[in-house]
Amino acid sequence: TDYFERLRKEPLSEKAKVLLAKVLAVTIGLIVIGLGASVVGEVPGHHVDKAQRIANLLVRPLFILVFMATCGPFATKWATIAGAIAGSAVAITIAFWEPLLDSVNIEPEVLKAISWQWMLPCALTAGLGVACAGSLLERRLQHSAVRPLIVGG
């Protein structure tokens, strides 16, 4: 609701904020449930396997955002977002590794042996690695930037 306040000229009352938050929560929930129900048939594995693959896709990227916001004093906005995107990409790739390989007709069974259980360590490592390295690089570039000369001073 904070974003909506920035777009409005007059502030919302507390009652209106609560109503807006409830409407947003229900709308987002329905969208997620609808999208999830439409693709759940394409996810390989048994019911527990499917639930773990789908439910844990965005847990690691959310953890990366929270961790960098609370425990990363050097964290920068863009590097943290890049880390969350990298963690999401790795989690999605590992979750749907078998269908990805089947879609490009790769036959070796060794490559198909990656389990969805690798999502946690791999997505977390990739996301935190990108977020931390990007934040440190961004800070270093900010401090080494050439400052403009002050004319007349």
Side-chain angles (χ1 to χ4, degrees), residues 79-119:
T80 302
I81 292 171
I85 291 170
S88 296
V90 169
I92 291 168
T93 302
I94 292 173
F96 301 108
W97 183 249
E98 290 175 32
L100 286 172
L101 290 181
D102 288 341
S103 69
V104 293
N105 296 325
I106 293 181
E107 292 300 322
E109 292 298 319
V110 172
L111 292 177
K112 293 184 179 183
I114 295 177
S115 170
W116 59 265
Q117 295 171 336
W118 282 99
M119 280 175 30

Side-chain angles (χ1 to χ4, degrees), residues 48-151:
V48 174
D49 208 18
K50 288 181 181 188
Q52 290 295 329
R53 287 176 195 251
I54 294 171
N56 291 324
L57 277 180
L58 298 178
V59 171
R60 282 66 177 192
L62 283 175
F63 175 78
I64 293 165
L65 293 173
V66 171
F67 178 81
M68 292 300 286
T70 57
C71 301
F74 57 90
T76 59
K77 175 175 54 174
W78 294 111
T80 302
I81 292 171
I85 291 170
S88 296
V90 169
I92 291 168
T93 302
I94 292 173
F96 301 108
W97 183 249
E98 290 175 32
L100 286 172
L101 290 181
D102 288 341
S103 69
V104 293
N105 296 325
I106 293 181
E107 292 300 322
E109 292 298 319
V110 172
L111 292 177
K112 293 184 179 183
I114 295 177
S115 170
W116 59 265
Q117 295 171 336
W118 282 99
M119 280 175 30
L120 170 64
C122 295
L124 199 57
T125 302
L128 285 177
V130 168
C132 291
S135 293
L136 293 173
L137 180 66
E138 191 174 340
R139 295 271 181 196
R140 173 169 242 143
L141 290 175
Q142 286 174 350
H143 291 305
S144 68
V146 178
R147 295 187 173 42
L149 296 174
I150 298 174
V151 178

Side-chain angles (χ1 to χ4, degrees), residues 1-2 5 11-22:
T1 59
D2 294 338
E5 290 229 356
L12 291 172
S13 68
E14 287 301 314
K15 195 172 189 177
K17 286 181 189 178
V18 170
L19 179 64
L20 178 62
K22 288 180 180 180

Side-chain angles (χ1 to χ4, degrees), residues 18-31:
V18 170
L19 179 64
L20 178 62
K22 288 180 180 180
V23 169
L24 281 173
V26 168
T27 304
I28 292 170
L30 289 174
I31 291 170

